[in-house]
Amino acid sequence: MNPKFQAPKGVSEYLPPRSNLFDYVSRTLTTPALAAGYELIELPIFEDTELFTRGVGESTDVVSKEMYTFEDRGGRSLTLRPEGTAGVMRAVIEHNLDRGQLPVKLFYRGPFFRAERPQAGRYRQFYQFGIEAIGVNDPYLDAEVIGIAYAGYKKLGFSNFSLHITSLGDAESRNRHREDLVKFIESLNLDDETKVRAAKNPLRLFDDKRDEVRSKMQSAPLLLDYLNQESMENFASVQAALKSINVPFEINPRMVRGLDYYTGTTFEFVHNGLGAQSGIGGGGRYDGLMETLGGQNLSGIGFGLGIDRVLLAMETEGCIPENIRYVDLFVIPLGVAAQSTAFTLVNQLRTAGFVVEQSFGDRALKGAMKAADKSGARFSIVIGDAEISSGTVELKEMSTGKASSVTLSALASELAKLS
Ligand code: HAM
């Protein structure tokens, strides 16, 4: 079949049953953030375009090539959010969240948009779970943020991934490095486009995918070697804090994040079974972002985890838990009177906390049993006229076919006993 309408190219969609896994993944990634006191922030999907050009940086692919930008009916330039941090900072500044208790600790989940070339694990609409901790510069907070991402992955049960960390140091360290890096880059024979990119942000060249640029950059000066005493001590404290909570990491001095706002600690989680799109999450500290966007000069740190890629990682590792979609009971009414009895019974059981489905329509028993099977329910009951008059049903365990008589009034307590 060739349907008249199809989803736009390169977007990720989640339909049952895989959407159950998507829901499970995003909820599970969120639990460690909730345990650490982060609170939800729900933001617009589109923002003023300038928020991203200024915040994320014009040297980045995200801003220069990948934004979905449009003019609204009032002639304003708007952009579908390509990432979450700039929007969070805008909201924090606009609503004075940074004037209270610090750090401000926020989390978000939702779709993001980048006009990238679609491939496995790279989509034009994708989903992130992210957190931001704003207003305090403390190596323990860096380690808390990284630890929250790590705990989320571990909770999901996959293991074939590594954490890469580095430090971009403070402004003084970065300036000293930049001077030498620029001199080094000037000594290379590069095409004009690359020179323009390097002029905006010379670190970008570490990220170049072309072999000839990569080999030229092999001997480039590394920022990590330029950290001053304070930055070095800060980075050492972050590492010690990570070790103290058993978060394994590798130091990767060549790592460059794809967004320009980073300073200090930066990190990426890489899954080893995903091929080219192996980044399952990343983040770091951003000292100047808030000020760049018109706020006070406060530091922040956060991450964005790619929910789509985490899902792929779990599927690659085969660590998908059974019964993500758990149904306690499937209720099959037979006849008009039973429909009404079943409807109120199902409602009572749901109120009591059970997950209950019922069959609808004038279904014959066979078809309804099939639906019960498909639902994955642990138990089923059939209610007909005889059951209504006796007040008793046969509670059938779907996996074994074993049944036991239970009175309707004792059904909830019996289910509780069995679960
Ligand atoms: P990012 O590294 O650009 O960081 O994106 C974070 C994660 O989103 C990536 O590691 C990846 O898993 C996922 N991702 C990015 N682009 C795509 C795509 N086209 N398709 C599928 N997944 C994708 C940020 O966005 C920062 N805002 C993170 C951050 C928060 N830094 C500080 N605070």
Side-chain angles (χ1 to χ4, degrees):
M1 197 184 67
N2 197 4
K4 183 165 162 56
F5 295 110
Q6 294 174 13
K9 194 172 168 222
V11 302
S12 61
E13 293 190 293
Y14 295 95
L15 316 174
R18 200 163 176 256
S19 54
N20 297 311
L21 182 59
F22 178 88
D23 183 43
Y24 169 76
V25 168
S26 43
R27 277 186 291 114
T28 307
L29 290 175
T30 312
T31 13
L34 289 171
Y38 288 71
E39 294 179 279
L40 177 69
I41 183 162
E42 195 65 74
L43 291 177
I45 301 291
F46 51 84
E47 296 267 6
D48 189 331
T49 300
E50 202 187 334
L51 176 69
F52 300 117
T53 45
R54 275 222 215 172
V56 174
E58 296 194 65
S59 84
T60 62
D61 280 356
V62 169
V63 167
S64 64
K65 302 183 194 157
E66 297 170 357
M67 294 208 300
Y68 282 101
T69 298
F70 60 97
E71 208 170 87
D72 76 357
R73 285 162 199 268
R76 286 167 286 256
S77 178
L78 297 173
T79 293
L80 298 185
R81 59 184 190 185
E83 64 96 51
T85 314
V88 169
M89 294 312 277
R90 191 269 307 145
V92 166
I93 298 166
E94 184 177 342
H95 303 291
N96 294 317
L97 297 189
D98 55 327
R99 305 288 166 174
Q101 184 71 23
L102 297 177
V104 183
K105 302 210 289 188
L106 304 165
F107 78 83
Y108 49 89
R109 283 188 300 222
F112 294 86
F113 306 85
R114 295 182 191 176
E116 298 196 72
R117 194 134 39 85
Q119 64 179 86
R122 187 164 71 189
Y123 311 109
R124 291 180 170 172
Q125 174 171 335
F126 59 98
Y127 294 84
Q128 275 187 11
F129 164 67
I131 72 171
E132 311 292 345
I134 300 148
V136 175
N137 196 348
D138 178 337
Y140 280 108
L141 189 56
D142 297 27
E144 169 175 294
V145 166
I146 297 172
I148 286 170
Y150 182 78
Y153 294 145
K154 290 308 266 187
K155 246 180 183 327
L156 287 170
F158 64 91
S159 52
N160 189 13
F161 68 97
S162 30
L163 163 62
H164 295 195
I165 63 169
T166 190
S167 171
L168 303 181
D170 61 7
E172 199 252 333
S173 309
R174 281 195 302 282
N175 287 340
R176 273 193 305 121
H177 172 251
R178 192 185 168 110
E179 261 176 43
D180 282 3
L181 182 61
V182 167
K183 269 187 222 144
F184 173 83
I185 289 172
E186 276 166 5
S187 75
L188 303 176
N189 185 14
L190 294 168
D191 60 272
D192 288 346
E193 200 189 321
T194 312
K195 279 187 198 153
V196 171
R197 237 153 62 91
K200 284 185 187 153
N201 181 356
L203 288 178
R204 284 272 149 262
L205 293 206
F206 283 106
D207 210 15
D208 203 298
K209 300 285 176 291
R210 291 168 298 179
D211 284 343
E212 68 274 18
V213 181
R214 272 169 172 265
S215 68
K216 282 177 186 160
M217 290 300 286
Q218 270 312 314
S219 48
L222 297 174
L223 178 43
L224 209 51
D225 298 328
Y226 285 72
L227 297 192
N228 57 21
Q229 190 67 22
E230 203 185 328
S231 297
M232 230 149 46
E233 280 169 12
N234 183 288
F235 190 40
S237 304
V238 175
Q239 293 174 52
L242 286 174
K243 281 184 189 149
S244 75
I245 53 169
N246 302 317
V247 175
F249 58 85
E250 295 163 28
I251 295 174
N252 179 356
R254 295 182 162 269
M255 183 179 80
V256 179
R257 303 273 303 126
L259 314 165
D260 273 353
Y261 47 64
Y262 290 110
T263 60
T265 309
T266 53
F267 56 93
E268 266 175 11
F269 289 91
V270 177
H271 192 273
N272 306 317
L274 286 187
Q277 304 307 316
S278 58
I280 53 172
R285 191 161 273 288
Y286 39 86
D287 283 340
L289 179 60
M290 193 173 212
E291 211 175 12
T292 306
L293 298 177
Q296 46 173 342
N297 181 12
L298 288 180
S299 179
I301 179 161
F303 64 61
L305 313 184
I307 298 177
D308 314 82
R309 292 187 191 168
V310 169
L311 208 91
L312 291 172
M314 290 179 69
E315 286 167 341
T316 309
E317 287 198 27
C319 64
I320 295 163
E322 281 174 34
N323 289 334
I324 286 180
R325 179 176 183 277
Y326 185 80
V327 178
D328 293 294
L329 179 70
F330 197 95
V331 177
I332 302 172
L334 295 178
V336 178
Q339 276 176 338
S340 143
T341 308
F343 190 67
T344 48
L345 174 72
V346 163
N347 193 52
Q348 280 163 14
L349 291 171
R350 285 180 189 158
T351 309
F354 298 102
V355 182
V356 187
E357 283 201 59
Q358 75 170 94
S359 65
F360 291 104
D362 245 347
R363 263 196 165 158
L365 183 59
K366 205 170 147 201
M369 277 318 283
K370 254 197 198 153
D373 250 342
K374 239 187 123 189
S375 76
R378 189 155 167 228
F379 296 98
S380 69
I381 56 170
V382 176
I383 304 181
D385 292 340
E387 283 78 9
I388 294 175
S389 60
S390 69
T392 308
V393 288
E394 293 293 299
L395 181 63
K396 179 175 157 192
E397 189 173 33
M398 298 299 286
S399 61
T400 58
K402 259 197 247 155
S404 55
S405 289
V406 181
T407 61
L408 282 171
S409 54
L411 196 55
S413 57
E414 189 61 23
L415 280 174
K417 231 192 286 166
L418 292 168
S419 61

